[in-house]
Amino acid sequence: MNLNQEKVMTLDKAIGMYVTDGCHISIGGFTVSRNPMAAVFEIMRQKKKNLHCYAHSNGTGVDELIGGGCLSKLEIAYGGNGKAAPTCIRFKSAIQRGDLLFEDYSNYQMSLRFHAGAMGIPFMATRSGLGTDIVNKWGFSKEMRGKDPKLPDKKIEIIDNPFPNWGNASRVVLVPAINPDVTIIHVQKADKYGTCRIEGLTFADADQVKASKHVIITCEEIVETDTLREKPEYNQIPFIHVSAVVHVPYGAYPSACYNYYDYDPQMLSHVSKFAKDDDLYQKYLEKFVYGVKDHQELLKLMGKDQLAKISADRRTGYATGLDRR
Amino acid sequence: MTEYTLKELMTLMAAREIRDGDIVFCGTGISMVAAMAAKYINAPNSIIFFETGAIDSKLEEIPMAVADPRVMFGAASNSGLLDAFATMQNRITGDHVIGILGAAQVDKYGNLNSTCIGDYSKPKTRFSGSGGACDVASFVPRCLIFMQHEKRKFPIKIDYLTSPGYLDGPGARERAGLMSGGPTAVITNLGVMYFDSETKEMYLAYYYPGVTPQKILDNMEFSVDISRAAEAAPPSEQELQILRERVDPYKLIL
């Protein structure tokens, strides 16, 4: 939240200000769509460390944050990224090596946890997960939870339905609220105060924003406030939740941004190929992440032809006929 | 008779399980193709929907992920995860949903592991994790499961229970507090298994042309009843034509 200050700023300033070592972070988007990649790469360039990340299915973004060595803890439902990486590759290797403390939930449970955070209640109830290891197996021990005031006492809890004759449920699963220090999402349109219009699927972005202490919005376009207010019912996030607004065209690249550009299947499989080998992945990082000053330089490196290939068709919102083999 | 691939047959075996009017919860890959095939062949009024929040999308091109912009085009509504899962948890709509899932391991009660092999905190092999699979398997009355038929994928005990099937047998879902229902069929590259209505154990229902029931048993750690098994009908010309010309003309999945 930031009601008073000028919110439009550069990406390096926004990341420098709101993403601090050890903070709890969530990012928007889902697998190959609307991951705030420009912000993710900037976090990697600024060598942020020991972040605690909350994710439902943020494929591309979370995998790069792991690869860049920025995360030490991860609560996640799904580490996959479409065809290019059915299991995210740096995620897989970090867990198999024991380099990352992690805990598994389901997508609905993670969405409910953000929703609880946005609502200001300690938990939400669901009927998902009864009888499973998602309930039985914890990644963070009770002892660790006791020492860390930013972790709930328990991973998850099952209780008998306190309204036994109501709702045809004998028991429910309770999942604890999430309130990140900072959430970063990428949207199609925002005004300079942070009111956002997301086109296409919204995933859990609005709840992630509303649950968060600080919020960075990156956007394809900064539009006039009056324009957004002609159809306020199409805006999902009012400015009161937002701390910083950053104008970053192609800010979700190489993931997709509906009505603007598709995901880049070539780049995603290129990254996957390099991610499978530690040395090759370092080379990829040095060229495409650390080797460029900012996102605009990465786009220059990709070249106009590559970006033209993924440019969205006006009728469908994606790149019709794009070679995705 | 026209030649066909195993993947094409698997797709059609799944499509034949989808009934007209079903709401089909779709993952990526072959499950998406099966749902699209059912819509063109045997269930024209079925509705495809995605955990990301897109319902009844106009799928002019095959989406490669459930968040692919291709699922957003021409949908009845584009919402988010909370709405999508509520659609399945809410019995009014949830009772009409059939889920299509895949996994790394399945046991004889149809419990699925898509999380890891080995110790949870430091596994030998890590997979993607639940995503929405645990939610779907918890909520909906019918589920189709795609598997590759290999011994290690049909173990006596799965390494991690990500998504609930019939847990440890008859009545176990209800005892745990889950909604009744559970997996309907396991569709593999060798045949199709159903679940016995009394014991809730997997049994062989169909083996593919050229495959013997014994070969299927040789490819699983636990044993299943093969006394009810019949040879599956091969794909018809019409089914293959629809698959190849309308569903996946660019051979992205098949």
Side-chain angles (χ1 to χ4, degrees):
Chain A
M1 189 172 144
N2 168 5
L3 291 175
N4 306 313
Q5 299 165 41
E6 176 60 53
K7 291 183 187 175
V8 177
M9 59 180 84
T10 60
L11 189 56
D12 65 326
K13 188 180 169 197
I15 299 296
M17 218 160 126
Y18 293 112
V19 181
T20 51
D21 286 353
C23 78
H24 289 215
I25 186 171
S26 88
I27 61 171
F30 193 106
T31 60
V32 297
S33 265
R34 257 184 343 87
N35 281 230
M37 294 310 295
V40 163
F41 295 140
E42 183 58 29
I43 291 171
M44 293 162 76
R45 275 190 291 273
Q46 292 191 18
K47 307 268 183 203
K48 300 293 183 185
K49 293 280 176 232
N50 293 319
L51 305 181
H52 182 127
C53 181
Y54 303 100
H56 41 78
S57 299
N58 316 89
T60 318
V62 167
D63 208 37
E64 293 282 28
L65 287 174
I66 295 171
C70 304
L71 305 189
S72 62
K73 296 191 200 80
L74 175 64
E75 300 182 37
I76 191 166
Y78 187 77
N81 199 29
K83 196 186 178 195
T87 302
C88 287
I89 294 156
R90 302 311 298 182
F91 161 81
K92 186 185 182 86
S93 59
I95 287 182
Q96 288 175 186
R97 286 172 193 169
D99 288 346
L100 188 65
L101 268 176
F102 65 95
E103 203 159 70
D104 277 87
Y105 292 87
S106 72
N107 268 341
Y108 191 41
Q109 290 167 348
M110 287 306 285
S111 309
L112 288 170
R113 296 183 66 196
F114 288 120
H115 196 53
M119 289 173 73
I121 53 171
F123 56 80
M124 286 285 281
T126 172
R127 302 191 65 186
S128 172
L130 290 157
T132 70
D133 283 333
I134 291 179
V135 169
N136 295 331
K137 295 192 176 170
W138 294 14
F140 309 153
S141 68
K142 217 162 197 155
E143 194 190 8
M144 179 182 156
R145 292 171 180 282
K147 284 183 197 151
D148 188 344
K150 287 171 87 172
L151 287 179
D153 319 79
K154 298 171 182 176
K155 178 189 180 188
I156 207 162
E157 179 68 295
I158 294 173
I159 59 158
D160 288 338
N161 181 358
F163 303 88
N165 296 317
W166 198 242
N168 199 24
S170 58
R171 309 163 91 190
V172 289
V173 174
L174 307 182
V175 290
I178 295 172
N179 287 104
D181 296 310
V182 58
T183 286
I184 309 173
I185 67 167
H186 183 74
V187 305
Q188 283 86 354
K189 296 181 176 78
D191 73 5
K192 60 184 177 183
Y193 304 108
T195 294
C196 297
R197 180 167 300 173
I198 298 171
E199 297 171 11
L201 291 164
T202 53
F203 310 121
D205 283 24
D207 275 331
Q208 288 176 251
V209 160
K210 292 169 188 178
S212 200
K213 207 181 294 170
H214 305 295
V215 172
I216 302 172
I217 303 291
T218 64
C219 60
E220 292 298 321
E221 290 183 67
I222 294 189
V223 296
E224 289 301 325
T225 298
D226 287 348
T227 310
L228 285 185
R229 291 185 181 217
E230 276 168 26
K231 297 269 184 202
E233 60 274 29
Y234 294 165
N235 307 333
Q236 297 86 355
I237 297 165
F239 65 98
I240 56 170
H241 302 283
V242 175
S243 320
V245 177
V246 187
H247 181 215
V248 195
Y250 284 92
Y253 180 88
S255 72
C257 188
Y258 189 59
N259 286 338
Y260 285 74
Y261 45 91
D262 219 318
Y263 49 91
D264 184 343
Q266 265 174 287
M267 185 58 176
L268 290 175
S269 37
H270 178 80
V271 178
S272 286
K273 203 175 82 193
F274 278 66
K276 284 182 184 129
D277 178 279
D278 287 349
D279 294 336
L280 281 178
Y281 187 65
Q282 279 312 313
K283 282 191 183 133
Y284 152 79
L285 290 179
E286 267 146 41
K287 182 172 176 190
F288 293 99
V289 183
Y290 306 135
V292 295
K293 181 170 91 321
D294 54 23
H295 205 61
Q296 279 61 48
E297 261 193 28
L298 170 67
L299 298 175
K300 252 184 239 158
L301 192 62
M302 299 317 300
K304 279 204 173 102
D305 291 350
Q306 190 62 19
L307 297 182
K309 276 188 205 163
I310 59 167
S311 173
D313 166 63
R314 286 186 71 171
R315 184 179 71 91
T316 59
Y318 57 81
T320 314
L322 175 67
D323 185 355
R324 298 178 292 142
R325 279 168 298 179
Chain B
M1 201 180 65
T2 320
E3 296 279 309
Y4 58 88
T5 66
L6 266 176
K7 241 181 172 176
E8 287 174 327
L9 180 57
M10 287 172 77
T11 304
L12 291 167
M13 292 307 284
R16 291 169 188 171
E17 299 288 338
I18 295 169
R19 300 176 198 148
D20 209 20
D22 278 350
I23 303 173
V24 187
F25 169 91
C26 236
T28 47
I30 194 166
S31 78
M32 194 113 50
V33 189
M36 289 169 79
K39 221 171 147 56
Y40 287 122
I41 298 169
N42 51 300
N45 298 306
S46 58
I47 293 153
I48 299 177
F49 103 108
F50 301 94
E51 64 187 280
T52 44
I55 297 189
D56 205 22
S57 317
K58 207 177 245 176
L59 297 171
E60 287 187 3
E61 293 187 8
I62 290 186
M64 302 302 274
V66 295
D68 191 309
R70 283 153 192 79
V71 310
M72 304 180 199
F73 170 61
S77 88
N78 276 329
S79 57
L81 280 71
L82 273 187
D83 281 338
F85 289 111
T87 300
M88 291 185 275
Q89 189 171 234
N90 173 346
R91 298 308 347 122
I92 300 165
T93 38
D95 277 343
H96 300 273
V97 177
I98 180 167
I100 313 184
L101 303 172
Q105 291 181 319
V106 59
D107 68 14
K108 69 175 177 180
Y109 292 119
N111 301 305
L112 303 180
N113 172 13
S114 52
T115 304
C116 63
I117 301 293
D119 177 57
Y120 172 61
S121 56
K122 199 165 182 293
K124 193 166 141 269
T125 311
R126 171 70 206 204
F127 304 111
S128 59
S130 162
C134 168
D135 307 309
V136 178
S138 296
F139 298 152
V140 310
R142 294 155 62 220
C143 258
L144 308 177
I145 302 159
F146 274 113
M147 293 294 299
Q148 282 296 312
H149 225 132
E150 295 168 31
K151 232 181 174 106
R152 64 193 175 112
K153 298 193 170 201
F154 287 77
I156 289 168
K157 192 176 181 341
I158 56 178
D159 289 50
Y160 183 101
L161 202 165
T162 314
S163 308
Y166 295 104
L167 299 177
D168 55 7
R173 281 182 73 95
E174 292 75 9
R175 281 195 297 277
L178 286 169
M179 299 170 197
S180 50
T184 314
V186 179
I187 295 150
T188 80
N189 50 315
L190 298 178
V192 174
M193 267 112 354
Y194 288 162
F195 292 85
D196 186 88
S197 56
E198 295 294 318
T199 66
K200 304 296 179 193
E201 284 185 34
M202 199 184 282
Y203 71 89
L204 185 64
Y206 296 106
Y207 50 90
Y208 297 157
V211 175
T212 61
Q214 187 56 46
K215 186 178 175 188
I216 290 174
L217 289 176
D218 291 346
N219 280 284
M220 46 212 305
E221 229 178 62
F222 56 89
S223 184
V224 294
D225 176 19
I226 57 171
S227 67
R228 287 171 268 183
E231 189 173 279
S236 70
E237 294 280 347
Q238 188 220 359
E239 285 175 323
L240 285 174
Q241 194 184 354
I242 289 172
L243 269 191
R244 291 168 186 176
E245 289 172 19
R246 295 184 67 179
V247 179
D248 189 11
Y250 299 107
K251 290 189 168 298
L252 289 172
I253 311 283
L254 295 175

